[in-house]
Short mmCIF file of all heavy atoms in Angstrom, two decimals:
data_model
loop_
_atom_site.label_atom_id
_atom_site.label_comp_id
_atom_site.label_asym_id
_atom_site.label_seq_id
_atom_site.Cartn_x
_atom_site.Cartn_y
_atom_site.Cartn_z
N MET A 26 48.48 100.38 59.15
CA MET A 26 47.65 99.16 59.24
C MET A 26 48.10 98.19 58.12
O MET A 26 48.17 98.55 56.97
CB MET A 26 46.19 99.40 59.14
CG MET A 26 45.35 98.15 59.00
SD MET A 26 43.59 98.57 58.61
CE MET A 26 42.97 99.00 60.20
N LEU A 27 48.41 96.91 58.51
CA LEU A 27 48.62 95.91 57.54
C LEU A 27 47.52 94.89 57.56
O LEU A 27 47.05 94.51 58.68
CB LEU A 27 49.96 95.16 57.86
CG LEU A 27 51.31 96.02 57.66
CD1 LEU A 27 52.41 95.17 58.12
CD2 LEU A 27 51.41 96.38 56.24
N VAL A 28 47.01 94.45 56.36
CA VAL A 28 45.95 93.59 56.30
C VAL A 28 46.46 92.16 55.85
O VAL A 28 47.22 92.13 54.87
CB VAL A 28 44.91 94.01 55.30
CG1 VAL A 28 43.68 93.17 55.26
CG2 VAL A 28 44.45 95.46 55.68
N HIS A 29 46.08 91.15 56.54
CA HIS A 29 46.45 89.75 56.12
C HIS A 29 45.12 89.01 55.83
O HIS A 29 44.20 89.20 56.65
CB HIS A 29 47.27 89.04 57.16
CG HIS A 29 48.52 89.78 57.58
ND1 HIS A 29 49.70 89.65 56.94
CD2 HIS A 29 48.69 90.69 58.55
CE1 HIS A 29 50.57 90.49 57.54
NE2 HIS A 29 50.01 91.07 58.54
N ILE A 30 45.13 88.22 54.81
CA ILE A 30 43.97 87.36 54.58
C ILE A 30 44.44 85.88 54.58
O ILE A 30 45.57 85.61 54.18
CB ILE A 30 43.23 87.72 53.29
CG1 ILE A 30 44.15 87.61 52.17
CG2 ILE A 30 42.52 89.01 53.39
CD1 ILE A 30 43.47 87.75 50.72
N ASP A 31 43.47 85.03 54.90
CA ASP A 31 43.81 83.51 54.91
C ASP A 31 42.78 82.94 53.92
O ASP A 31 41.66 82.73 54.29
CB ASP A 31 43.65 82.95 56.29
CG ASP A 31 44.06 81.50 56.34
OD1 ASP A 31 44.02 80.86 55.28
OD2 ASP A 31 44.37 81.02 57.43
N GLN A 32 43.31 82.63 52.69
CA GLN A 32 42.40 82.07 51.74
C GLN A 32 41.97 80.63 52.00
O GLN A 32 41.02 80.18 51.46
CB GLN A 32 43.07 82.17 50.30
CG GLN A 32 43.20 83.60 49.86
CD GLN A 32 43.88 83.80 48.43
OE1 GLN A 32 44.74 82.98 48.15
NE2 GLN A 32 43.43 84.71 47.71
N GLU A 33 42.71 80.01 52.90
CA GLU A 33 42.35 78.64 53.33
C GLU A 33 41.08 78.72 54.19
O GLU A 33 40.20 77.78 54.18
CB GLU A 33 43.40 77.99 54.10
CG GLU A 33 44.73 77.79 53.35
CD GLU A 33 44.59 76.78 52.24
OE1 GLU A 33 44.10 75.70 52.50
OE2 GLU A 33 44.98 77.07 51.10
N LYS A 34 40.93 79.76 55.06
CA LYS A 34 39.79 79.90 55.90
C LYS A 34 38.61 80.47 55.21
O LYS A 34 37.44 80.18 55.55
CB LYS A 34 40.16 80.84 57.08
CG LYS A 34 41.02 80.26 58.10
CD LYS A 34 41.17 81.22 59.27
CE LYS A 34 42.10 80.75 60.38
NZ LYS A 34 42.28 81.87 61.38
N CYS A 35 38.85 81.30 54.25
CA CYS A 35 37.77 82.08 53.60
C CYS A 35 36.70 81.17 53.04
O CYS A 35 37.05 80.21 52.39
CB CYS A 35 38.32 82.97 52.49
SG CYS A 35 37.08 83.78 51.48
N CYS A 36 35.44 81.45 53.31
CA CYS A 36 34.33 80.59 52.75
C CYS A 36 33.64 81.34 51.71
O CYS A 36 32.51 80.94 51.14
CB CYS A 36 33.44 80.18 53.86
SG CYS A 36 32.62 81.58 54.68
N GLY A 37 34.11 82.52 51.24
CA GLY A 37 33.57 83.22 50.11
C GLY A 37 32.24 83.88 50.36
O GLY A 37 31.51 84.17 49.42
N ALA A 38 32.03 84.27 51.62
CA ALA A 38 30.76 84.91 51.96
C ALA A 38 30.65 86.27 51.37
O ALA A 38 29.57 86.75 51.12
CB ALA A 38 30.65 85.05 53.47
N GLY A 39 31.70 86.95 51.09
CA GLY A 39 31.67 88.24 50.43
C GLY A 39 31.45 89.48 51.36
O GLY A 39 31.28 90.59 50.86
N SER A 40 31.30 89.27 52.62
CA SER A 40 30.90 90.36 53.54
C SER A 40 32.03 91.39 53.52
O SER A 40 31.72 92.60 53.64
CB SER A 40 30.78 89.82 54.98
OG SER A 40 29.97 88.75 54.99
N CYS A 41 33.27 90.98 53.44
CA CYS A 41 34.36 91.93 53.43
C CYS A 41 34.35 92.85 52.21
O CYS A 41 34.66 94.02 52.29
CB CYS A 41 35.67 91.19 53.52
SG CYS A 41 36.00 90.01 52.09
N VAL A 42 33.93 92.29 51.07
CA VAL A 42 33.87 93.09 49.86
C VAL A 42 32.80 94.22 49.97
O VAL A 42 32.97 95.30 49.51
CB VAL A 42 33.65 92.25 48.57
CG1 VAL A 42 33.64 93.00 47.33
CG2 VAL A 42 34.68 91.15 48.54
N LEU A 43 31.70 93.83 50.55
CA LEU A 43 30.58 94.77 50.82
C LEU A 43 31.07 95.91 51.75
O LEU A 43 30.74 97.10 51.53
CB LEU A 43 29.37 94.06 51.38
CG LEU A 43 28.62 93.16 50.48
CD1 LEU A 43 27.49 92.55 51.18
CD2 LEU A 43 28.07 93.96 49.24
N ALA A 44 31.86 95.57 52.81
CA ALA A 44 32.26 96.49 53.80
C ALA A 44 33.39 97.42 53.30
O ALA A 44 33.40 98.59 53.58
CB ALA A 44 32.73 95.78 55.06
N ALA A 45 34.34 96.88 52.52
CA ALA A 45 35.51 97.60 52.06
C ALA A 45 35.91 97.17 50.65
O ALA A 45 36.87 96.50 50.47
CB ALA A 45 36.66 97.39 53.07
N PRO A 46 35.11 97.62 49.71
CA PRO A 46 35.39 97.19 48.31
C PRO A 46 36.72 97.65 47.77
O PRO A 46 37.23 97.19 46.76
CB PRO A 46 34.22 97.69 47.51
CG PRO A 46 33.60 98.81 48.37
CD PRO A 46 33.96 98.46 49.78
N GLU A 47 37.27 98.69 48.41
CA GLU A 47 38.51 99.20 47.91
C GLU A 47 39.73 98.34 48.38
O GLU A 47 40.83 98.50 47.87
CB GLU A 47 38.77 100.72 48.30
CG GLU A 47 38.85 100.97 49.77
CD GLU A 47 37.53 101.02 50.52
OE1 GLU A 47 36.50 100.52 49.98
OE2 GLU A 47 37.50 101.49 51.69
N VAL A 48 39.45 97.50 49.30
CA VAL A 48 40.55 96.71 49.82
C VAL A 48 40.40 95.14 49.54
O VAL A 48 41.42 94.49 49.49
CB VAL A 48 40.65 96.93 51.36
CG1 VAL A 48 41.69 96.04 52.07
CG2 VAL A 48 40.90 98.43 51.74
N PHE A 49 39.17 94.78 49.41
CA PHE A 49 38.93 93.31 49.23
C PHE A 49 38.08 93.08 47.89
O PHE A 49 37.25 93.91 47.58
CB PHE A 49 38.07 92.74 50.36
CG PHE A 49 38.74 92.83 51.72
CD1 PHE A 49 38.29 93.89 52.57
CD2 PHE A 49 39.77 92.08 52.14
CE1 PHE A 49 38.92 94.06 53.77
CE2 PHE A 49 40.39 92.23 53.35
CZ PHE A 49 40.01 93.23 54.13
N ASP A 50 38.46 91.98 47.21
CA ASP A 50 37.68 91.53 46.13
C ASP A 50 37.54 90.06 46.26
O ASP A 50 38.08 89.45 47.15
CB ASP A 50 38.41 91.93 44.83
CG ASP A 50 37.47 91.94 43.58
OD1 ASP A 50 36.26 91.57 43.78
OD2 ASP A 50 37.93 92.25 42.48
N GLN A 51 36.87 89.38 45.34
CA GLN A 51 36.69 87.99 45.31
C GLN A 51 36.97 87.45 44.03
O GLN A 51 36.77 88.01 42.94
CB GLN A 51 35.17 87.63 45.64
CG GLN A 51 34.73 87.89 47.03
CD GLN A 51 33.25 87.65 47.23
OE1 GLN A 51 32.44 88.53 46.84
NE2 GLN A 51 32.89 86.53 47.74
N ARG A 52 37.65 86.22 44.00
CA ARG A 52 37.94 85.57 42.78
C ARG A 52 36.68 85.21 42.00
O ARG A 52 35.71 84.78 42.61
CB ARG A 52 38.70 84.20 43.03
CG ARG A 52 40.07 84.45 43.66
CD ARG A 52 40.99 83.21 43.57
NE ARG A 52 40.45 82.06 44.23
CZ ARG A 52 41.23 81.28 45.00
NH1 ARG A 52 42.39 81.61 45.34
NH2 ARG A 52 40.68 80.18 45.49
N ASP A 53 36.72 85.39 40.73
CA ASP A 53 35.54 85.17 39.91
C ASP A 53 35.08 83.65 40.01
O ASP A 53 33.91 83.35 40.06
CB ASP A 53 35.80 85.47 38.39
CG ASP A 53 35.87 86.95 38.19
OD1 ASP A 53 35.33 87.71 39.05
OD2 ASP A 53 36.49 87.38 37.23
N GLU A 54 36.06 82.80 40.02
CA GLU A 54 35.77 81.36 39.88
C GLU A 54 35.13 80.70 41.14
O GLU A 54 34.29 79.89 41.03
CB GLU A 54 36.97 80.49 39.41
CG GLU A 54 38.14 80.53 40.27
CD GLU A 54 39.15 81.70 40.02
OE1 GLU A 54 38.69 82.74 39.61
OE2 GLU A 54 40.34 81.48 40.36
N ASP A 55 35.54 81.20 42.34
CA ASP A 55 35.04 80.47 43.50
C ASP A 55 34.62 81.46 44.65
O ASP A 55 34.27 81.03 45.72
CB ASP A 55 35.99 79.44 43.96
CG ASP A 55 37.45 80.00 44.22
OD1 ASP A 55 37.52 81.23 44.22
OD2 ASP A 55 38.36 79.23 44.45
N GLY A 56 34.82 82.75 44.43
CA GLY A 56 34.48 83.69 45.40
C GLY A 56 35.36 83.90 46.63
O GLY A 56 35.12 84.68 47.58
N ILE A 57 36.55 83.19 46.59
CA ILE A 57 37.60 83.34 47.66
C ILE A 57 38.15 84.74 47.56
O ILE A 57 38.37 85.31 46.54
CB ILE A 57 38.63 82.31 47.48
CG1 ILE A 57 38.03 80.86 47.62
CG2 ILE A 57 39.73 82.54 48.49
CD1 ILE A 57 37.29 80.61 48.94
N VAL A 58 38.44 85.24 48.75
CA VAL A 58 38.82 86.61 48.91
C VAL A 58 40.18 86.90 48.20
O VAL A 58 41.09 86.06 48.23
CB VAL A 58 38.88 87.05 50.45
CG1 VAL A 58 40.03 86.25 51.17
CG2 VAL A 58 39.05 88.58 50.64
N VAL A 59 40.32 88.12 47.71
CA VAL A 59 41.54 88.61 47.07
C VAL A 59 41.84 89.93 47.79
O VAL A 59 40.97 90.78 47.86
CB VAL A 59 41.40 88.89 45.60
CG1 VAL A 59 42.61 89.45 44.98
CG2 VAL A 59 41.06 87.54 44.82
N LEU A 60 43.07 90.09 48.18
CA LEU A 60 43.47 91.34 48.85
C LEU A 60 43.96 92.35 47.79
O LEU A 60 44.93 92.08 47.06
CB LEU A 60 44.52 91.04 49.90
CG LEU A 60 45.02 92.19 50.78
CD1 LEU A 60 43.85 92.72 51.56
CD2 LEU A 60 46.12 91.74 51.66
N LEU A 61 43.23 93.47 47.74
CA LEU A 61 43.67 94.51 46.73
C LEU A 61 44.69 95.52 47.32
O LEU A 61 45.52 95.99 46.55
CB LEU A 61 42.42 95.29 46.31
CG LEU A 61 41.22 94.55 45.66
CD1 LEU A 61 40.13 95.44 45.39
CD2 LEU A 61 41.79 93.80 44.40
N ASP A 62 44.64 95.71 48.64
CA ASP A 62 45.52 96.73 49.21
C ASP A 62 45.92 96.30 50.61
O ASP A 62 45.12 96.29 51.54
CB ASP A 62 44.78 98.07 49.24
CG ASP A 62 45.66 99.23 49.66
OD1 ASP A 62 46.84 98.98 50.03
OD2 ASP A 62 45.25 100.36 49.59
N ALA A 63 47.16 95.76 50.74
CA ALA A 63 47.61 95.20 52.04
C ALA A 63 47.93 96.34 53.04
O ALA A 63 48.05 96.07 54.24
CB ALA A 63 48.83 94.37 51.80
N GLU A 64 48.05 97.54 52.58
CA GLU A 64 48.39 98.63 53.41
C GLU A 64 47.51 99.84 53.07
O GLU A 64 47.91 100.83 52.53
CB GLU A 64 49.82 99.00 53.26
CG GLU A 64 50.52 99.54 54.49
CD GLU A 64 52.04 99.64 54.37
OE1 GLU A 64 52.59 99.02 53.52
OE2 GLU A 64 52.60 100.42 55.19
N PRO A 65 46.17 99.68 53.48
CA PRO A 65 45.20 100.75 53.04
C PRO A 65 45.42 102.07 53.69
O PRO A 65 45.95 102.13 54.79
CB PRO A 65 43.87 100.11 53.48
CG PRO A 65 44.22 99.15 54.52
CD PRO A 65 45.61 98.59 54.22
N PRO A 66 45.02 103.14 53.11
CA PRO A 66 45.15 104.46 53.64
C PRO A 66 44.25 104.67 54.89
O PRO A 66 43.31 103.93 55.04
CB PRO A 66 44.70 105.41 52.56
CG PRO A 66 43.87 104.56 51.61
CD PRO A 66 44.43 103.14 51.73
N ALA A 67 44.55 105.65 55.69
CA ALA A 67 43.88 105.86 56.89
C ALA A 67 42.37 106.02 56.72
O ALA A 67 41.57 105.53 57.63
CB ALA A 67 44.43 107.09 57.59
N ASP A 68 41.91 106.59 55.67
CA ASP A 68 40.43 106.79 55.56
C ASP A 68 39.72 105.44 55.19
O ASP A 68 38.48 105.45 55.25
CB ASP A 68 40.11 107.90 54.49
CG ASP A 68 40.65 107.55 53.12
OD1 ASP A 68 41.29 106.53 52.91
OD2 ASP A 68 40.34 108.37 52.22
N SER A 69 40.43 104.42 54.98
CA SER A 69 39.86 103.07 54.80
C SER A 69 39.85 102.21 56.09
O SER A 69 39.27 101.13 56.11
CB SER A 69 40.58 102.29 53.64
OG SER A 69 40.43 102.94 52.44
N HIS A 70 40.55 102.63 57.08
CA HIS A 70 40.78 101.80 58.29
C HIS A 70 39.48 101.31 58.91
O HIS A 70 39.36 100.18 59.35
CB HIS A 70 41.74 102.44 59.24
CG HIS A 70 43.10 102.53 58.76
ND1 HIS A 70 44.13 102.92 59.56
CD2 HIS A 70 43.66 102.19 57.61
CE1 HIS A 70 45.29 102.87 58.92
NE2 HIS A 70 45.00 102.45 57.70
N GLN A 71 38.53 102.25 59.05
CA GLN A 71 37.34 101.79 59.75
C GLN A 71 36.60 100.81 58.94
O GLN A 71 36.00 99.83 59.48
CB GLN A 71 36.40 103.07 60.05
CG GLN A 71 35.25 102.73 60.94
CD GLN A 71 35.71 102.04 62.22
OE1 GLN A 71 36.45 102.58 62.97
NE2 GLN A 71 35.10 100.87 62.62
N ALA A 72 36.52 100.96 57.63
CA ALA A 72 35.85 99.99 56.71
C ALA A 72 36.54 98.62 56.80
O ALA A 72 35.85 97.56 56.81
CB ALA A 72 35.84 100.52 55.29
N VAL A 73 37.90 98.63 56.91
CA VAL A 73 38.59 97.36 56.96
C VAL A 73 38.34 96.71 58.38
O VAL A 73 38.21 95.46 58.41
CB VAL A 73 40.15 97.61 56.77
CG1 VAL A 73 40.92 96.34 57.06
CG2 VAL A 73 40.42 98.15 55.38
N ARG A 74 38.26 97.51 59.41
CA ARG A 74 37.91 96.96 60.72
C ARG A 74 36.58 96.32 60.73
O ARG A 74 36.29 95.27 61.26
CB ARG A 74 38.04 98.01 61.80
CG ARG A 74 39.39 98.28 62.27
CD ARG A 74 39.43 99.14 63.54
NE ARG A 74 40.66 99.98 63.53
CZ ARG A 74 40.63 101.26 63.12
NH1 ARG A 74 39.54 101.84 62.76
NH2 ARG A 74 41.81 101.88 63.12
N ASP A 75 35.60 97.00 60.05
CA ASP A 75 34.29 96.48 59.91
C ASP A 75 34.29 95.15 59.15
O ASP A 75 33.61 94.20 59.48
CB ASP A 75 33.38 97.49 59.15
CG ASP A 75 33.11 98.72 59.97
OD1 ASP A 75 33.30 98.74 61.22
OD2 ASP A 75 32.58 99.76 59.37
N ALA A 76 35.05 95.13 58.06
CA ALA A 76 35.14 93.93 57.23
C ALA A 76 35.63 92.81 58.06
O ALA A 76 35.15 91.62 58.02
CB ALA A 76 36.07 94.14 56.03
N ALA A 77 36.72 92.98 58.85
CA ALA A 77 37.30 91.89 59.73
C ALA A 77 36.22 91.42 60.77
O ALA A 77 36.14 90.25 61.02
CB ALA A 77 38.55 92.42 60.36
N ALA A 78 35.47 92.45 61.24
CA ALA A 78 34.49 92.03 62.29
C ALA A 78 33.34 91.16 61.70
O ALA A 78 32.77 90.36 62.45
CB ALA A 78 33.93 93.30 62.92
N VAL A 79 32.98 91.47 60.48
CA VAL A 79 31.83 90.73 59.94
C VAL A 79 32.22 89.40 59.24
O VAL A 79 31.32 88.62 58.87
CB VAL A 79 30.94 91.61 59.01
CG1 VAL A 79 30.31 92.76 59.69
CG2 VAL A 79 31.70 92.04 57.74
N CYS A 80 33.46 89.19 58.98
CA CYS A 80 33.91 88.00 58.26
C CYS A 80 33.54 86.75 59.07
O CYS A 80 33.88 86.63 60.24
CB CYS A 80 35.45 88.00 58.02
SG CYS A 80 36.00 86.41 57.34
N PRO A 81 32.71 85.91 58.51
CA PRO A 81 32.22 84.75 59.32
C PRO A 81 33.30 83.65 59.50
O PRO A 81 33.11 82.78 60.34
CB PRO A 81 31.07 84.14 58.48
CG PRO A 81 31.41 84.59 57.08
CD PRO A 81 32.08 85.97 57.19
N ALA A 82 34.38 83.77 58.81
CA ALA A 82 35.43 82.69 58.88
C ALA A 82 36.62 83.24 59.56
O ALA A 82 37.66 82.54 59.63
CB ALA A 82 35.76 82.29 57.46
N ALA A 83 36.61 84.42 60.08
CA ALA A 83 37.82 84.99 60.80
C ALA A 83 39.03 84.93 59.92
O ALA A 83 40.14 84.54 60.42
CB ALA A 83 38.05 84.34 62.12
N ALA A 84 38.90 85.19 58.61
CA ALA A 84 39.96 85.02 57.63
C ALA A 84 40.75 86.34 57.47
O ALA A 84 41.70 86.34 56.70
CB ALA A 84 39.41 84.58 56.31
N ILE A 85 40.33 87.43 58.10
CA ILE A 85 40.95 88.68 58.01
C ILE A 85 41.70 89.01 59.28
O ILE A 85 41.11 89.05 60.34
CB ILE A 85 40.00 89.80 57.56
CG1 ILE A 85 39.30 89.46 56.32
CG2 ILE A 85 40.72 91.13 57.53
CD1 ILE A 85 38.08 90.31 55.99
N ARG A 86 43.02 89.26 59.22
CA ARG A 86 43.82 89.63 60.37
C ARG A 86 44.40 90.99 60.16
O ARG A 86 44.92 91.30 59.08
CB ARG A 86 44.91 88.61 60.67
CG ARG A 86 45.61 88.78 61.91
CD ARG A 86 46.45 87.62 62.24
NE ARG A 86 47.47 87.37 61.32
CZ ARG A 86 48.62 88.00 61.25
NH1 ARG A 86 48.94 88.92 62.15
NH2 ARG A 86 49.49 87.71 60.30
N LEU A 87 44.26 91.90 61.22
CA LEU A 87 44.88 93.25 61.10
C LEU A 87 45.99 93.37 61.98
O LEU A 87 45.99 92.85 63.09
CB LEU A 87 43.70 94.28 61.42
CG LEU A 87 42.48 94.12 60.59
CD1 LEU A 87 41.43 95.14 61.06
CD2 LEU A 87 42.72 94.22 59.13
N GLU A 88 47.02 94.05 61.49
CA GLU A 88 48.23 94.36 62.25
C GLU A 88 48.48 95.84 62.29
O GLU A 88 48.32 96.44 61.19
CB GLU A 88 49.37 93.66 61.51
CG GLU A 88 50.67 93.57 62.22
CD GLU A 88 51.73 92.87 61.37
OE1 GLU A 88 51.38 91.94 60.63
OE2 GLU A 88 52.87 93.32 61.39
N GLN A 89 48.66 96.39 63.37
CA GLN A 89 48.98 97.82 63.46
C GLN A 89 50.40 98.03 63.10
O GLN A 89 51.32 97.50 63.73
CB GLN A 89 48.67 98.33 64.84
CG GLN A 89 47.22 98.42 65.15
CD GLN A 89 46.34 99.15 64.14
OE1 GLN A 89 46.78 100.11 63.51
NE2 GLN A 89 45.11 98.59 63.83
N ALA A 90 50.70 98.81 62.08
CA ALA A 90 52.05 98.99 61.58
C ALA A 90 52.51 100.35 62.11
O ALA A 90 51.76 101.23 62.44
CB ALA A 90 52.08 98.95 60.06
S1 LIG B 705 34.13 88.02 54.64
FE1 LIG B 705 35.67 86.45 55.21
S2 LIG B 705 34.86 84.60 54.40
FE2 LIG B 705 33.76 86.19 53.34
S3 LIG B 705 34.92 86.58 51.47
FE3 LIG B 705 35.69 88.03 52.96
S4 LIG B 705 37.42 86.91 53.91
FE4 LIG B 705 36.15 85.41 52.86
#
């Protein structure tokens, strides 16, 4: 799985960080998403799918590698 984020779309809601804190973080200054792991291990995939599903800005795109 490859994870892509769009910082232009992100509104800093932080839902992705709550769902998958090992993969997503937020910038201190404005809360915009930061990708920590673009190719997360299999045991994180469900959490990453949950994060993409709850993102209110559709800023997370997943690609099956
Ligand atoms: S859930 Fe979406 S809008 Fe919220 S911080 Fe994460 S990427 Fe940004």
Side-chain angles (χ1 to χ4, degrees):
M26 170 190 279
L27 292 176
V28 182
H29 304 274
I30 56 169
D31 186 339
Q32 291 180 324
E33 300 291 313
K34 284 186 183 172
C35 173
C36 62
S40 314
C41 57
V42 182
L43 290 176
E47 65 280 15
V48 177
F49 303 101
D50 198 358
Q51 286 173 283
R52 293 200 299 229
D53 287 338
E54 61 272 28
D55 56 10
I57 297 300
V58 68
V59 175
L60 187 58
L61 300 177
D62 189 351
E64 211 168 342
D68 61 358
S69 295
H70 287 187
Q71 189 55 53
V73 172
R74 281 190 211 99
D75 291 346
V79 297
C80 175
I85 301 169
R86 188 169 60 83
L87 305 179
E88 188 183 325
Q89 291 308 322

